[in-house]
Amino acid sequence: MNQLLIIGSIAYDSIITPFGRADKALGGSATYFSLAASLFAPTMAIGVVGDDFKHLRVLKKRGIDTSGIDVKKGKTFHWTGKYHFDLNTRDTLKTSLGVFEHFKPRLNEPHRNCQYVFLGNIHPRLQLDVLKQIKRPKLVGLDTMNFWIEQARPDLLKVIKQIDLLVINDSEARELSKENNLVKAARKILAMMSRRSHGVGIPTKTSGGKFKNPTLIIKQGEHGLLMFHRNMIFNLPGYPLENVVDPTGAGDSFAGALMGFLAKTDVFTPTILKKACAMASTVASFTVEKFGVTKLSEIKVADVKKRLKNYQKLAKF
Ligand code: AMP
């Protein structure tokens, strides 16, 4: 079975929504990502925590390899965010980097041999540094945020050229492309992406089954997603939930389940990519039903498959 490597933040999150709050709950992009990915494929996480961190067992319980998580003297990264009434937008109230400030990713031999890699939302220079250490990447995904698009654009453009799959939200796509229209934005971003393929992907007639073209997924929160690959545009609605408690980590759970599903199937046809998107949206829909990682760490693949059946009915006509 293919292994999947994720690098990102491991955090304590303090979250305020109009309907409740959580203080210092387990969070971080690598946490959500690996909990979601491990539903489908063996997952290894790279990150750093302080000696105040008490939650490694949550990851270990799901079989996640935590040998790449450094424990340093000091405080774990702490993020505080407040959601607006519609739960679609949020403000960052405070970011305390703690040990994350001097994070130097430490990859061992099994990490370097991993072929499925996801570069979570961290400084693009660190993303490049990790990618350089991977021996034979097959599929490399990446997430980023407005902060890096504004503050580290040259490094970000460099790493984006070397990946196969970019997963960002609509405001990030607009900012990255400097285009308001998402279809135009996608065309520009695809042009910025992969010149150097990693050997897999949607087989084309001329490529002999090798990956030749990058894939871009633009997340639109509760409204679903748009996926772009060459001339294909795929539009998936969001799963209509009645009970949304905390949207934190929805994007990371989506990316985790997507990469986990692709690592498991090891096939990259348009049909599989669409299926992976549906599976990933379904996993993300569970995440937001409780604060932090509570719901995500409870669910099993059978729960996901059951909801996926209802999801399929929604847009069939
Ligand atoms: P999402 O809701 O999918 O965008 O992810 C939210 C997660 O990102 C939270 O658990 C935060 O701990 C983490 N996070 C917030 N800000 C940053 C940052 N500047 N760098 C890395 N991770 C962050």
Side-chain angles (χ1 to χ4, degrees):
M1 171 93 82
N2 287 306
Q3 300 232 3
L4 173 60
L5 183 76
I6 159 75
I7 171 156
S9 58
I10 299 166
Y12 280 130
D13 290 345
S14 293
I15 303 156
I16 304 155
T17 78
F19 318 109
R21 60 189 298 153
D23 282 315
K24 292 201 167 178
L26 174 62
S29 59
T31 308
Y32 283 102
F33 184 99
S34 51
L35 285 170
S38 60
L39 286 167
F40 304 101
T43 304
M44 309 196 266
I46 305 279
V48 65
V49 292
D51 50 13
D52 58 342
F53 191 73
K54 304 270 183 288
H55 287 82
L56 269 188
R57 64 186 153 74
V58 178
L59 302 181
K60 284 185 177 157
K61 205 173 143 198
R62 269 286 260 283
I64 295 158
D65 180 330
T66 59
S67 61
I69 299 178
D70 260 350
V71 183
K72 293 272 188 220
K73 201 167 170 359
K75 286 213 177 309
T76 299
F77 176 65
H78 182 199
W79 175 76
T80 306
K82 185 176 179 184
Y83 285 87
H84 297 193
F85 184 71
D86 66 2
L87 289 178
N88 282 326
T89 44
R90 71 181 178 208
D91 299 320
T92 291
L93 299 185
K94 202 172 166 200
T95 301
S96 310
L97 290 176
V99 293
F100 202 47
E101 191 171 357
H102 302 291
F103 176 39
K104 290 244 174 353
R106 199 174 44 81
L107 273 67
N108 60 28
E109 199 59 15
H111 298 143
R112 282 194 283 269
N113 285 326
C114 214
Q115 293 192 301
Y116 283 79
V117 179
F118 194 79
L119 307 167
N121 170 27
I122 51 170
H123 196 298
R125 218 174 299 137
L126 287 182
Q127 293 177 320
L128 273 169
D129 182 41
V130 169
L131 187 52
K132 250 186 253 158
Q133 297 181 54
I134 306 295
K135 289 185 189 159
R136 284 182 311 280
K138 207 173 184 189
L139 183 77
V140 179
L142 183 136
D143 179 22
T144 191
M145 67 192 284
N146 296 86
F147 182 76
W148 304 124
I149 298 171
E150 288 152 25
Q151 302 297 321
R153 194 175 174 90
D155 283 326
L156 182 63
L157 294 182
K158 219 188 267 179
V159 68
I160 277 180
K161 272 203 177 72
Q162 301 181 42
I163 60 160
D164 307 293
L165 176 66
L166 180 62
V167 186
I168 51 177
N169 68 33
D170 40 10
S171 76
E172 291 155 357
R174 289 191 170 103
E175 192 159 355
L176 180 61
S177 63
K178 300 183 177 154
E179 277 287 349
N180 171 272
N181 178 281
L182 288 179
V183 179
K184 283 186 185 150
R187 199 173 301 140
K188 275 198 175 173
I189 295 169
L190 286 176
M192 290 174 186
M193 286 174 69
S194 192
R195 293 282 164 266
R196 208 193 77 184
S197 69
H198 295 111
V200 294
I202 298 177
T204 61
K205 272 191 187 141
T206 49
S207 72
K210 298 275 188 210
F211 184 85
K212 285 282 181 245
N213 299 287
T215 302
L216 167 67
I217 296 175
I218 300 180
K219 298 168 289 173
Q220 298 175 292
E222 66 174 328
H223 305 298
L225 64 85
L226 287 164
M227 176 168 62
F228 299 87
H229 175 87
R230 304 186 83 204
N231 295 325
M232 178 183 87
I233 303 180
F234 176 59
N235 190 359
L236 197 66
Y239 188 85
L241 285 171
E242 203 171 332
N243 185 30
V244 180
V245 170
D246 169 22
T248 311
D252 302 312
S253 317
F254 173 86
L258 182 89
M259 287 292 293
F261 186 79
L262 291 174
K264 183 183 171 207
T265 52
D266 209 20
V267 174
F268 302 88
T269 59
T271 307
I272 291 289
L273 266 180
K274 289 176 187 175
K275 214 170 165 183
C277 281
M279 193 68 99
S281 293
T282 310
V283 171
S285 77
F286 281 105
T287 301
V288 303
E289 288 184 316
K290 285 189 182 172
F291 269 105
V293 300
T294 314
K295 185 80 182 208
L296 178 62
S297 42
E298 281 169 9
I299 57 167
K300 309 253 179 312
V301 175
D303 302 314
V304 182
K305 285 188 174 161
K306 198 169 155 200
R307 185 172 286 184
L308 189 66
K309 280 207 175 119
N310 287 333
Y311 195 17
Q312 269 171 332
K313 285 185 207 149
L314 285 172
K316 216 172 188 175
F317 60 88

